Structures are given as structure tokens and as C-alpha cells.
Amino acid sequence: MTRWNDGHDDVGAVSADITEETNALPAEYFTDPDVHEMEKEKVFGRYWVYAGHANHVPERGDYFTRTIGDKQIIVTRDGEGDVRAFYNVCAHRGSKMLEDTPMTDPGTLSRITCPYHLWAYELDGDLASTPKSFEEASLNPDLDDDAVRELDPEENGLMEVTTDSIGPLVFVNFADDPDLTLAEQAGSMKDELEALPLEEYEHARRYVSEVECNWKTFSGNYSECDHCQANHQDWVQGLELMESELEVNDYHWVLHYQHKEDVDDEMRIHEEHEAKFYYFWPNFTVNMYGTADGYGTYIIDPIDEGRFQLVADYYFRDSELTDEEEKFVQTSRQLQEEDFELVERQYEGLRSGALAQAQLGPNEHTVHKLHRLAQESYEA
């Protein structure tokens, strides 16, 4: 049942059974800044997190940067053609090396060089060179040049971040010894996505939006469509919502939306006559549209406990969109903006402090899974 903040201390952890009374994450986990700090390590420092699309670094030396929580990384293609990730932190005195470089506007370099003292690194992270002042002690009267030790290139190289991929989708894991492999965390989603020619599609559009609510608020909204009939009326006209399916797996769930009318096979990347929306814990989605030959991705990046950034990318056969494809993207953007209004309104209510623990409906089992994974992360 719903718990209000009315002096009763009966808020409980998220139940394993959605039919039990405490089936939702307590409201404080959406509004408490201490929870946001905890999530940086227990959620985003433990699980596989989307870093970017390999198509944006097609050549050796191409790179982009990505910030996940407090961690800044460089994603680059090394001299052997492999995509790798390193902390954007110099091994000398910890300076940030490269300026923020979005995936949609990548840079190119032959070496990674820190501008502070010009330590340079190979694309595999090994230390390549240092200025002469680090090789001799000419300015130190108490030290002979012979006493200056030679720096081992590997031991003094950049700190690498574990990477793996699902097709062209690159993921990172910051744990020293990840609890799960990417294949284990992704489950059947990995096989399904790798069966599709994702790498053949070109990036066409990116929208970046800052939204005033907790990231889990938007994630919960994405994960159900009970709100769609009342709030996305233009979109649901072509869907059979009651014929749709919500599929729940260990660390991902899929929303299958059936169309009222059959759609030509050439209008979509996958074979199913439906739209398929994958949510991959903790904060990544892959959107397979049933009425457009393309796909989209969302990154739901927390900024603090009360704000997140939605990064929406769209991929089509050609980066130059047709009028129909452009209209499709604008319809998708309209859905986002409608959802932003909903989740900001919900978060305004959560911040009021009146609600202690919400009550999920029987068909919100995808939201229940989201809340359960958050709870399990906090307790780990």
C-alpha cells in the first residue's frame, strides 16, 4: 500500500513480489543527495555502462571523451584497431589531459599528450615520452643526472578501463574485477542486437536535454506505457497497447509494442512487426522502431539527485534524412518533451516530502524490476 510521511515508520525495502505491499523504491532514494553519491560507486562504478558507438572512432587515433559520474574517460581506437578506454588523467600529477570531446564530434591524435608537462602516451596507454626536464636533474643541485631513474613505459602509462561491446555499442566497467561479464549482464539482449546490422547505420541526429528530476524517475516512465493513452495520444493511435508485451530479464527488459496495421519489412531494421524498446540497466536504452528503418539510443545520465541529462541519438541508413525520416525524428522528440513534463511533475511531488513509498500497479513489473535492481545495488 502507499505510505505517506505522516509519522508512521513502516517504509520497507522493495519486495521481491510485486503483489506485496512494499513493491516500490522508497521516495527518499529519488531525492536524497547522499543516495546520488552512493550510486556513483554502487551503480555506475559496478555495472557495465554504455560509453559510445564505435562508428564514431573508425580510424586509429580517433577518440571521444565521456563522463560517467565523476569519472572522465577517453575512448579511442588504438594502433591495432581495437577500441579502448582510459581515464582522462595524466600519470604524472593527475591532470585532465583532453578537453571534453563529444562522440558526435570526435577528435583525432597520434598520441595522447598532457598539456601540463607534456607527458605523451601511445594509443595503447603506454608512456611514450617526457620532456628533458624529467630525464635529467640540471635544476636540482642536490641530485646527479645518474640518480634520475628511467620511467617504465607500461608502469607509468595511463589507467585503462575495462571495455567490451555489443556489436558497435561500446560499454565500460570501472570495477577492478567486475561481478558480471557484459554478456552475463546483457543476457539475450546481446544476441538479439548482434543479429542486427547496427554497424551499417549512420548517425543522423543527437538531442541533449537537461531534465529536472532524478534519473530513475525518467527510467521508470520509459519502462511502462500505462501513461501513454492519456499523454501520448498522437503516438498511440497506430498501436495496439493492450496487445503489447512487457518482457523482463535479469538486467534488461523489453517493451514490445504491436502496430494496428502491418508494416512493410523495409521500414524497420528488425524482422518483428512491432516496435521494440530495450532498457539495459542501469541507464541505457536501444529503441527499435517499427515504422522507420533505423534505431535510436538513450543515455540517461545523472547530474545530481534532482537532474539528469538525456542524450538521444538516432541512426539511419544515411545521415542525410529524408523528409519522412525527419518527421519521424521530430515525432520521437515530441514524445521526449511530453515525457519530460510528466517526470518533472512527478519529481515535484516526490520532493514535497509527502510520499514515503509509492504503490506500483500489476502491469508495472518492468518498473518493479528497475526498483529491485536499485535496491540490490544499494545493499551490495
Side-chain angles (χ1 to χ4, degrees), residues 48-70:
W48 290 91
V49 180
Y50 179 64
H53 202 291
N55 283 13
H56 290 275
V57 285
E59 305 295 335
R60 290 166 173 79
D62 291 347
Y63 76 93
F64 58 85
T65 64
R66 172 99 161 85
T67 300
I68 301 171
D70 295 330

mmCIF file with all atom_site columns, all heavy atoms in Angstrom, residues 48-70:
data_model
loop_
_atom_site.group_PDB
_atom_site.id
_atom_site.type_symbol
_atom_site.label_atom_id
_atom_site.label_alt_id
_atom_site.label_comp_id
_atom_site.label_asym_id
_atom_site.label_entity_id
_atom_site.label_seq_id
_atom_site.pdbx_PDB_ins_code
_atom_site.Cartn_x
_atom_site.Cartn_y
_atom_site.Cartn_z
_atom_site.occupancy
_atom_site.B_iso_or_equiv
_atom_site.pdbx_formal_charge
_atom_site.auth_seq_id
_atom_site.auth_comp_id
_atom_site.auth_asym_id
_atom_site.auth_atom_id
_atom_site.pdbx_PDB_model_num
ATOM 1   N N   . TRP A 1 48 ? 28.118 -2.597 -16.064 1.00 0.00 ? 48 TRP A N   1
ATOM 2   C CA  . TRP A 1 48 ? 28.540 -2.167 -17.395 1.00 0.00 ? 48 TRP A CA  1
ATOM 3   C C   . TRP A 1 48 ? 27.699 -0.984 -17.825 1.00 0.00 ? 48 TRP A C   1
ATOM 4   O O   . TRP A 1 48 ? 26.465 -1.025 -17.756 1.00 0.00 ? 48 TRP A O   1
ATOM 5   C CB  . TRP A 1 48 ? 28.405 -3.307 -18.397 1.00 0.00 ? 48 TRP A CB  1
ATOM 6   C CG  . TRP A 1 48 ? 29.411 -4.401 -18.171 1.00 0.00 ? 48 TRP A CG  1
ATOM 7   C CD1 . TRP A 1 48 ? 29.256 -5.518 -17.393 1.00 0.00 ? 48 TRP A CD1 1
ATOM 8   C CD2 . TRP A 1 48 ? 30.736 -4.465 -18.700 1.00 0.00 ? 48 TRP A CD2 1
ATOM 9   N NE1 . TRP A 1 48 ? 30.403 -6.270 -17.415 1.00 0.00 ? 48 TRP A NE1 1
ATOM 10  C CE2 . TRP A 1 48 ? 31.325 -5.654 -18.211 1.00 0.00 ? 48 TRP A CE2 1
ATOM 11  C CE3 . TRP A 1 48 ? 31.476 -3.638 -19.549 1.00 0.00 ? 48 TRP A CE3 1
ATOM 12  C CZ2 . TRP A 1 48 ? 32.628 -6.026 -18.536 1.00 0.00 ? 48 TRP A CZ2 1
ATOM 13  C CZ3 . TRP A 1 48 ? 32.768 -4.005 -19.877 1.00 0.00 ? 48 TRP A CZ3 1
ATOM 14  C CH2 . TRP A 1 48 ? 33.334 -5.192 -19.379 1.00 0.00 ? 48 TRP A CH2 1
ATOM 15  N N   . VAL A 1 49 ? 28.355 0.076  -18.259 1.00 0.00 ? 49 VAL A N   1
ATOM 16  C CA  . VAL A 1 49 ? 27.697 1.325  -18.629 1.00 0.00 ? 49 VAL A CA  1
ATOM 17  C C   . VAL A 1 49 ? 28.079 1.675  -20.070 1.00 0.00 ? 49 VAL A C   1
ATOM 18  O O   . VAL A 1 49 ? 29.244 1.532  -20.469 1.00 0.00 ? 49 VAL A O   1
ATOM 19  C CB  . VAL A 1 49 ? 28.112 2.464  -17.669 1.00 0.00 ? 49 VAL A CB  1
ATOM 20  C CG1 . VAL A 1 49 ? 27.429 3.773  -18.046 1.00 0.00 ? 49 VAL A CG1 1
ATOM 21  C CG2 . VAL A 1 49 ? 27.781 2.092  -16.222 1.00 0.00 ? 49 VAL A CG2 1
ATOM 22  N N   . TYR A 1 50 ? 27.112 2.139  -20.822 1.00 0.00 ? 50 TYR A N   1
ATOM 23  C CA  . TYR A 1 50 ? 27.354 2.500  -22.219 1.00 0.00 ? 50 TYR A CA  1
ATOM 24  C C   . TYR A 1 50 ? 28.321 3.670  -22.312 1.00 0.00 ? 50 TYR A C   1
ATOM 25  O O   . TYR A 1 50 ? 28.142 4.700  -21.658 1.00 0.00 ? 50 TYR A O   1
ATOM 26  C CB  . TYR A 1 50 ? 26.028 2.863  -22.890 1.00 0.00 ? 50 TYR A CB  1
ATOM 27  C CG  . TYR A 1 50 ? 26.130 3.275  -24.340 1.00 0.00 ? 50 TYR A CG  1
ATOM 28  C CD1 . TYR A 1 50 ? 26.563 2.374  -25.315 1.00 0.00 ? 50 TYR A CD1 1
ATOM 29  C CD2 . TYR A 1 50 ? 25.782 4.562  -24.749 1.00 0.00 ? 50 TYR A CD2 1
ATOM 30  C CE1 . TYR A 1 50 ? 26.635 2.739  -26.654 1.00 0.00 ? 50 TYR A CE1 1
ATOM 31  C CE2 . TYR A 1 50 ? 25.849 4.931  -26.085 1.00 0.00 ? 50 TYR A CE2 1
ATOM 32  C CZ  . TYR A 1 50 ? 26.278 4.021  -27.025 1.00 0.00 ? 50 TYR A CZ  1
ATOM 33  O OH  . TYR A 1 50 ? 26.359 4.395  -28.351 1.00 0.00 ? 50 TYR A OH  1
ATOM 34  N N   . ALA A 1 51 ? 29.338 3.507  -23.158 1.00 0.00 ? 51 ALA A N   1
ATOM 35  C CA  . ALA A 1 51 ? 30.331 4.571  -23.354 1.00 0.00 ? 51 ALA A CA  1
ATOM 36  C C   . ALA A 1 51 ? 30.120 5.302  -24.668 1.00 0.00 ? 51 ALA A C   1
ATOM 37  O O   . ALA A 1 51 ? 30.331 6.520  -24.742 1.00 0.00 ? 51 ALA A O   1
ATOM 38  C CB  . ALA A 1 51 ? 31.741 3.985  -23.316 1.00 0.00 ? 51 ALA A CB  1
ATOM 39  N N   . GLY A 1 52 ? 29.716 4.595  -25.720 1.00 0.00 ? 52 GLY A N   1
ATOM 40  C CA  . GLY A 1 52 ? 29.527 5.254  -27.009 1.00 0.00 ? 52 GLY A CA  1
ATOM 41  C C   . GLY A 1 52 ? 29.526 4.253  -28.145 1.00 0.00 ? 52 GLY A C   1
ATOM 42  O O   . GLY A 1 52 ? 29.646 3.038  -27.949 1.00 0.00 ? 52 GLY A O   1
ATOM 43  N N   . HIS A 1 53 ? 29.406 4.781  -29.352 1.00 0.00 ? 53 HIS A N   1
ATOM 44  C CA  . HIS A 1 53 ? 29.251 3.979  -30.557 1.00 0.00 ? 53 HIS A CA  1
ATOM 45  C C   . HIS A 1 53 ? 30.585 3.924  -31.305 1.00 0.00 ? 53 HIS A C   1
ATOM 46  O O   . HIS A 1 53 ? 31.198 4.953  -31.591 1.00 0.00 ? 53 HIS A O   1
ATOM 47  C CB  . HIS A 1 53 ? 28.181 4.624  -31.432 1.00 0.00 ? 53 HIS A CB  1
ATOM 48  C CG  . HIS A 1 53 ? 27.542 3.715  -32.419 1.00 0.00 ? 53 HIS A CG  1
ATOM 49  N ND1 . HIS A 1 53 ? 28.227 3.208  -33.505 1.00 0.00 ? 53 HIS A ND1 1
ATOM 50  C CD2 . HIS A 1 53 ? 26.280 3.227  -32.503 1.00 0.00 ? 53 HIS A CD2 1
ATOM 51  C CE1 . HIS A 1 53 ? 27.408 2.451  -34.214 1.00 0.00 ? 53 HIS A CE1 1
ATOM 52  N NE2 . HIS A 1 53 ? 26.221 2.441  -33.629 1.00 0.00 ? 53 HIS A NE2 1
ATOM 53  N N   . ALA A 1 54 ? 31.013 2.711  -31.641 1.00 0.00 ? 54 ALA A N   1
ATOM 54  C CA  . ALA A 1 54 ? 32.317 2.513  -32.289 1.00 0.00 ? 54 ALA A CA  1
ATOM 55  C C   . ALA A 1 54 ? 32.396 3.159  -33.668 1.00 0.00 ? 54 ALA A C   1
ATOM 56  O O   . ALA A 1 54 ? 33.497 3.473  -34.142 1.00 0.00 ? 54 ALA A O   1
ATOM 57  C CB  . ALA A 1 54 ? 32.623 1.023  -32.396 1.00 0.00 ? 54 ALA A CB  1
ATOM 58  N N   . ASN A 1 55 ? 31.266 3.390  -34.315 1.00 0.00 ? 55 ASN A N   1
ATOM 59  C CA  . ASN A 1 55 ? 31.289 4.018  -35.638 1.00 0.00 ? 55 ASN A CA  1
ATOM 60  C C   . ASN A 1 55 ? 31.861 5.433  -35.604 1.00 0.00 ? 55 ASN A C   1
ATOM 61  O O   . ASN A 1 55 ? 32.276 5.967  -36.635 1.00 0.00 ? 55 ASN A O   1
ATOM 62  C CB  . ASN A 1 55 ? 29.882 4.069  -36.235 1.00 0.00 ? 55 ASN A CB  1
ATOM 63  C CG  . ASN A 1 55 ? 29.438 2.728  -36.780 1.00 0.00 ? 55 ASN A CG  1
ATOM 64  O OD1 . ASN A 1 55 ? 30.059 1.704  -36.522 1.00 0.00 ? 55 ASN A OD1 1
ATOM 65  N ND2 . ASN A 1 55 ? 28.345 2.721  -37.528 1.00 0.00 ? 55 ASN A ND2 1
ATOM 66  N N   . HIS A 1 56 ? 31.870 6.040  -34.424 1.00 0.00 ? 56 HIS A N   1
ATOM 67  C CA  . HIS A 1 56 ? 32.368 7.408  -34.312 1.00 0.00 ? 56 HIS A CA  1
ATOM 68  C C   . HIS A 1 56 ? 33.894 7.461  -34.170 1.00 0.00 ? 56 HIS A C   1
ATOM 69  O O   . HIS A 1 56 ? 34.469 8.554  -34.182 1.00 0.00 ? 56 HIS A O   1
ATOM 70  C CB  . HIS A 1 56 ? 31.706 8.112  -33.131 1.00 0.00 ? 56 HIS A CB  1
ATOM 71  C CG  . HIS A 1 56 ? 30.255 8.398  -33.358 1.00 0.00 ? 56 HIS A CG  1
ATOM 72  N ND1 . HIS A 1 56 ? 29.802 9.515  -34.009 1.00 0.00 ? 56 HIS A ND1 1
ATOM 73  C CD2 . HIS A 1 56 ? 29.145 7.686  -33.026 1.00 0.00 ? 56 HIS A CD2 1
ATOM 74  C CE1 . HIS A 1 56 ? 28.483 9.495  -34.061 1.00 0.00 ? 56 HIS A CE1 1
ATOM 75  N NE2 . HIS A 1 56 ? 28.056 8.390  -33.477 1.00 0.00 ? 56 HIS A NE2 1
ATOM 76  N N   . VAL A 1 57 ? 34.525 6.319  -34.009 1.00 0.00 ? 57 VAL A N   1
ATOM 77  C CA  . VAL A 1 57 ? 36.000 6.262  -33.975 1.00 0.00 ? 57 VAL A CA  1
ATOM 78  C C   . VAL A 1 57 ? 36.461 5.211  -34.990 1.00 0.00 ? 57 VAL A C   1
ATOM 79  O O   . VAL A 1 57 ? 37.039 4.189  -34.624 1.00 0.00 ? 57 VAL A O   1
ATOM 80  C CB  . VAL A 1 57 ? 36.532 5.958  -32.556 1.00 0.00 ? 57 VAL A CB  1
ATOM 81  C CG1 . VAL A 1 57 ? 36.405 7.178  -31.665 1.00 0.00 ? 57 VAL A CG1 1
ATOM 82  C CG2 . VAL A 1 57 ? 35.788 4.764  -31.923 1.00 0.00 ? 57 VAL A CG2 1
ATOM 83  N N   . PRO A 1 58 ? 36.238 5.464  -36.278 1.00 0.00 ? 58 PRO A N   1
ATOM 84  C CA  . PRO A 1 58 ? 36.517 4.442  -37.294 1.00 0.00 ? 58 PRO A CA  1
ATOM 85  C C   . PRO A 1 58 ? 37.993 4.216  -37.575 1.00 0.00 ? 58 PRO A C   1
ATOM 86  O O   . PRO A 1 58 ? 38.387 3.126  -37.991 1.00 0.00 ? 58 PRO A O   1
ATOM 87  C CB  . PRO A 1 58 ? 35.806 4.987  -38.536 1.00 0.00 ? 58 PRO A CB  1
ATOM 88  C CG  . PRO A 1 58 ? 35.791 6.471  -38.340 1.00 0.00 ? 58 PRO A CG  1
ATOM 89  C CD  . PRO A 1 58 ? 35.620 6.664  -36.863 1.00 0.00 ? 58 PRO A CD  1
ATOM 90  N N   . GLU A 1 59 ? 38.840 5.238  -37.343 1.00 0.00 ? 59 GLU A N   1
ATOM 91  C CA  . GLU A 1 59 ? 40.250 5.136  -37.690 1.00 0.00 ? 59 GLU A CA  1
ATOM 92  C C   . GLU A 1 59 ? 41.136 5.148  -36.447 1.00 0.00 ? 59 GLU A C   1
ATOM 93  O O   . GLU A 1 59 ? 40.740 5.654  -35.385 1.00 0.00 ? 59 GLU A O   1
ATOM 94  C CB  . GLU A 1 59 ? 40.649 6.304  -38.602 1.00 0.00 ? 59 GLU A CB  1
ATOM 95  C CG  . GLU A 1 59 ? 39.809 6.444  -39.866 1.00 0.00 ? 59 GLU A CG  1
ATOM 96  C CD  . GLU A 1 59 ? 39.966 5.271  -40.813 1.00 0.00 ? 59 GLU A CD  1
ATOM 97  O OE1 . GLU A 1 59 ? 41.033 4.613  -40.749 1.00 0.00 ? 59 GLU A OE1 1
ATOM 98  O OE2 . GLU A 1 59 ? 39.047 5.022  -41.615 1.00 0.00 ? 59 GLU A OE2 1
ATOM 99  N N   . ARG A 1 60 ? 42.335 4.621  -36.587 1.00 0.00 ? 60 ARG A N   1
ATOM 100 C CA  . ARG A 1 60 ? 43.300 4.627  -35.491 1.00 0.00 ? 60 ARG A CA  1
ATOM 101 C C   . ARG A 1 60 ? 43.580 6.069  -35.057 1.00 0.00 ? 60 ARG A C   1
ATOM 102 O O   . ARG A 1 60 ? 43.844 6.930  -35.895 1.00 0.00 ? 60 ARG A O   1
ATOM 103 C CB  . ARG A 1 60 ? 44.596 3.938  -35.923 1.00 0.00 ? 60 ARG A CB  1
ATOM 104 C CG  . ARG A 1 60 ? 44.448 2.429  -36.115 1.00 0.00 ? 60 ARG A CG  1
ATOM 105 C CD  . ARG A 1 60 ? 45.632 1.834  -36.868 1.00 0.00 ? 60 ARG A CD  1
ATOM 106 N NE  . ARG A 1 60 ? 45.579 0.376  -36.926 1.00 0.00 ? 60 ARG A NE  1
ATOM 107 C CZ  . ARG A 1 60 ? 44.818 -0.318 -37.771 1.00 0.00 ? 60 ARG A CZ  1
ATOM 108 N NH1 . ARG A 1 60 ? 44.031 0.326  -38.628 1.00 0.00 ? 60 ARG A NH1 1
ATOM 109 N NH2 . ARG A 1 60 ? 44.826 -1.650 -37.753 1.00 0.00 ? 60 ARG A NH2 1
ATOM 110 N N   . GLY A 1 61 ? 43.505 6.306  -33.767 1.00 0.00 ? 61 GLY A N   1
ATOM 111 C CA  . GLY A 1 61 ? 43.739 7.634  -33.232 1.00 0.00 ? 61 GLY A CA  1
ATOM 112 C C   . GLY A 1 61 ? 42.488 8.469  -33.067 1.00 0.00 ? 61 GLY A C   1
ATOM 113 O O   . GLY A 1 61 ? 42.529 9.531  -32.431 1.00 0.00 ? 61 GLY A O   1
ATOM 114 N N   . ASP A 1 62 ? 41.369 8.043  -33.632 1.00 0.00 ? 62 ASP A N   1
ATOM 115 C CA  . ASP A 1 62 ? 40.110 8.747  -33.399 1.00 0.00 ? 62 ASP A CA  1
ATOM 116 C C   . ASP A 1 62 ? 39.706 8.564  -31.934 1.00 0.00 ? 62 ASP A C   1
ATOM 117 O O   . ASP A 1 62 ? 39.917 7.490  -31.349 1.00 0.00 ? 62 ASP A O   1
ATOM 118 C CB  . ASP A 1 62 ? 39.007 8.202  -34.304 1.00 0.00 ? 62 ASP A CB  1
ATOM 119 C CG  . ASP A 1 62 ? 39.225 8.543  -35.771 1.00 0.00 ? 62 ASP A CG  1
ATOM 120 O OD1 . ASP A 1 62 ? 40.089 9.393  -36.051 1.00 0.00 ? 62 ASP A OD1 1
ATOM 121 O OD2 . ASP A 1 62 ? 38.526 7.961  -36.623 1.00 0.00 ? 62 ASP A OD2 1
ATOM 122 N N   . TYR A 1 63 ? 39.105 9.579  -31.353 1.00 0.00 ? 63 TYR A N   1
ATOM 123 C CA  . TYR A 1 63 ? 38.730 9.478  -29.944 1.00 0.00 ? 63 TYR A CA  1
ATOM 124 C C   . TYR A 1 63 ? 37.559 10.394 -29.618 1.00 0.00 ? 63 TYR A C   1
ATOM 125 O O   . TYR A 1 63 ? 37.255 11.349 -30.330 1.00 0.00 ? 63 TYR A O   1
ATOM 126 C CB  . TYR A 1 63 ? 39.910 9.854  -29.030 1.00 0.00 ? 63 TYR A CB  1
ATOM 127 C CG  . TYR A 1 63 ? 40.164 11.351 -28.966 1.00 0.00 ? 63 TYR A CG  1
ATOM 128 C CD1 . TYR A 1 63 ? 39.585 12.141 -27.967 1.00 0.00 ? 63 TYR A CD1 1
ATOM 129 C CD2 . TYR A 1 63 ? 40.957 11.990 -29.920 1.00 0.00 ? 63 TYR A CD2 1
ATOM 130 C CE1 . TYR A 1 63 ? 39.795 13.518 -27.917 1.00 0.00 ? 63 TYR A CE1 1
ATOM 131 C CE2 . TYR A 1 63 ? 41.167 13.362 -29.891 1.00 0.00 ? 63 TYR A CE2 1
ATOM 132 C CZ  . TYR A 1 63 ? 40.588 14.105 -28.884 1.00 0.00 ? 63 TYR A CZ  1
ATOM 133 O OH  . TYR A 1 63 ? 40.783 15.473 -28.846 1.00 0.00 ? 63 TYR A OH  1
ATOM 134 N N   . PHE A 1 64 ? 36.884 10.071 -28.530 1.00 0.00 ? 64 PHE A N   1
ATOM 135 C CA  . PHE A 1 64 ? 35.948 10.989 -27.891 1.00 0.00 ? 64 PHE A CA  1
ATOM 136 C C   . PHE A 1 64 ? 36.069 10.779 -26.389 1.00 0.00 ? 64 PHE A C   1
ATOM 137 O O   . PHE A 1 64 ? 36.699 9.812  -25.923 1.00 0.00 ? 64 PHE A O   1
ATOM 138 C CB  . PHE A 1 64 ? 34.502 10.774 -28.374 1.00 0.00 ? 64 PHE A CB  1
ATOM 139 C CG  . PHE A 1 64 ? 33.946 9.386  -28.159 1.00 0.00 ? 64 PHE A CG  1
ATOM 140 C CD1 . PHE A 1 64 ? 33.375 9.019  -26.945 1.00 0.00 ? 64 PHE A CD1 1
ATOM 141 C CD2 . PHE A 1 64 ? 33.958 8.452  -29.198 1.00 0.00 ? 64 PHE A CD2 1
ATOM 142 C CE1 . PHE A 1 64 ? 32.846 7.742  -26.754 1.00 0.00 ? 64 PHE A CE1 1
ATOM 143 C CE2 . PHE A 1 64 ? 33.431 7.176  -29.020 1.00 0.00 ? 64 PHE A CE2 1
ATOM 144 C CZ  . PHE A 1 64 ? 32.872 6.823  -27.794 1.00 0.00 ? 64 PHE A CZ  1
ATOM 145 N N   . THR A 1 65 ? 35.533 11.702 -25.613 1.00 0.00 ? 65 THR A N   1
ATOM 146 C CA  . THR A 1 65 ? 35.566 11.576 -24.164 1.00 0.00 ? 65 THR A CA  1
ATOM 147 C C   . THR A 1 65 ? 34.149 11.335 -23.652 1.00 0.00 ? 65 THR A C   1
ATOM 148 O O   . THR A 1 65 ? 33.162 11.624 -24.323 1.00 0.00 ? 65 THR A O   1
ATOM 149 C CB  . THR A 1 65 ? 36.144 12.833 -23.487 1.00 0.00 ? 65 THR A CB  1
ATOM 150 O OG1 . THR A 1 65 ? 35.286 13.951 -23.736 1.00 0.00 ? 65 THR A OG1 1
ATOM 151 C CG2 . THR A 1 65 ? 37.547 13.118 -24.000 1.00 0.00 ? 65 THR A CG2 1
ATOM 152 N N   . ARG A 1 66 ? 34.083 10.799 -22.456 1.00 0.00 ? 66 ARG A N   1
ATOM 153 C CA  . ARG A 1 66 ? 32.786 10.510 -21.841 1.00 0.00 ? 66 ARG A CA  1
ATOM 154 C C   . ARG A 1 66 ? 32.945 10.687 -20.338 1.00 0.00 ? 66 ARG A C   1
ATOM 155 O O   . ARG A 1 66 ? 33.954 10.259 -19.761 1.00 0.00 ? 66 ARG A O   1
ATOM 156 C CB  . ARG A 1 66 ? 32.371 9.082  -22.180 1.00 0.00 ? 66 ARG A CB  1
ATOM 157 C CG  . ARG A 1 66 ? 31.142 8.561  -21.463 1.00 0.00 ? 66 ARG A CG  1
ATOM 158 C CD  . ARG A 1 66 ? 29.918 8.660  -22.318 1.00 0.00 ? 66 ARG A CD  1
ATOM 159 N NE  . ARG A 1 66 ? 28.874 7.776  -21.800 1.00 0.00 ? 66 ARG A NE  1
ATOM 160 C CZ  . ARG A 1 66 ? 28.027 8.105  -20.831 1.00 0.00 ? 66 ARG A CZ  1
ATOM 161 N NH1 . ARG A 1 66 ? 28.076 9.311  -20.265 1.00 0.00 ? 66 ARG A NH1 1
ATOM 162 N NH2 . ARG A 1 66 ? 27.107 7.249  -20.434 1.00 0.00 ? 66 ARG A NH2 1
ATOM 163 N N   . THR A 1 67 ? 31.974 11.329 -19.694 1.00 0.00 ? 67 THR A N   1
ATOM 164 C CA  . THR A 1 67 ? 31.975 11.488 -18.248 1.00 0.00 ? 67 THR A CA  1
ATOM 165 C C   . THR A 1 67 ? 30.847 10.660 -17.662 1.00 0.00 ? 67 THR A C   1
ATOM 166 O O   . THR A 1 67 ? 29.683 10.804 -18.054 1.00 0.00 ? 67 THR A O   1
ATOM 167 C CB  . THR A 1 67 ? 31.805 12.964 -17.848 1.00 0.00 ? 67 THR A CB  1
ATOM 168 O OG1 . THR A 1 67 ? 32.882 13.726 -18.390 1.00 0.00 ? 67 THR A OG1 1
ATOM 169 C CG2 . THR A 1 67 ? 31.809 13.118 -16.329 1.00 0.00 ? 67 THR A CG2 1
ATOM 170 N N   . ILE A 1 68 ? 31.181 9.774  -16.733 1.00 0.00 ? 68 ILE A N   1
ATOM 171 C CA  . ILE A 1 68 ? 30.209 8.906  -16.063 1.00 0.00 ? 68 ILE A CA  1
ATOM 172 C C   . ILE A 1 68 ? 30.384 9.121  -14.564 1.00 0.00 ? 68 ILE A C   1
ATOM 173 O O   . ILE A 1 68 ? 31.397 8.719  -13.988 1.00 0.00 ? 68 ILE A O   1
ATOM 174 C CB  . ILE A 1 68 ? 30.425 7.431  -16.432 1.00 0.00 ? 68 ILE A CB  1
ATOM 175 C CG1 . ILE A 1 68 ? 30.289 7.245  -17.949 1.00 0.00 ? 68 ILE A CG1 1
ATOM 176 C CG2 . ILE A 1 68 ? 29.444 6.537  -15.682 1.00 0.00 ? 68 ILE A CG2 1
ATOM 177 C CD1 . ILE A 1 68 ? 30.683 5.876  -18.455 1.00 0.00 ? 68 ILE A CD1 1
ATOM 178 N N   . GLY A 1 69 ? 29.416 9.786  -13.936 1.00 0.00 ? 69 GLY A N   1
ATOM 179 C CA  . GLY A 1 69 ? 29.591 10.176 -12.542 1.00 0.00 ? 69 GLY A CA  1
ATOM 180 C C   . GLY A 1 69 ? 30.707 11.194 -12.443 1.00 0.00 ? 69 GLY A C   1
ATOM 181 O O   . GLY A 1 69 ? 30.689 12.228 -13.109 1.00 0.00 ? 69 GLY A O   1
ATOM 182 N N   . ASP A 1 70 ? 31.711 10.898 -11.626 1.00 0.00 ? 70 ASP A N   1
ATOM 183 C CA  . ASP A 1 70 ? 32.884 11.764 -11.504 1.00 0.00 ? 70 ASP A CA  1
ATOM 184 C C   . ASP A 1 70 ? 34.036 11.300 -12.374 1.00 0.00 ? 70 ASP A C   1
ATOM 185 O O   . ASP A 1 70 ? 35.117 11.897 -12.341 1.00 0.00 ? 70 ASP A O   1
ATOM 186 C CB  . ASP A 1 70 ? 33.348 11.802 -10.039 1.00 0.00 ? 70 ASP A CB  1
ATOM 187 C CG  . ASP A 1 70 ? 32.333 12.452 -9.122  1.00 0.00 ? 70 ASP A CG  1
ATOM 188 O OD1 . ASP A 1 70 ? 31.599 13.343 -9.602  1.00 0.00 ? 70 ASP A OD1 1
ATOM 189 O OD2 . ASP A 1 70 ? 32.250 12.064 -7.945  1.00 0.00 ? 70 ASP A OD2 1
#
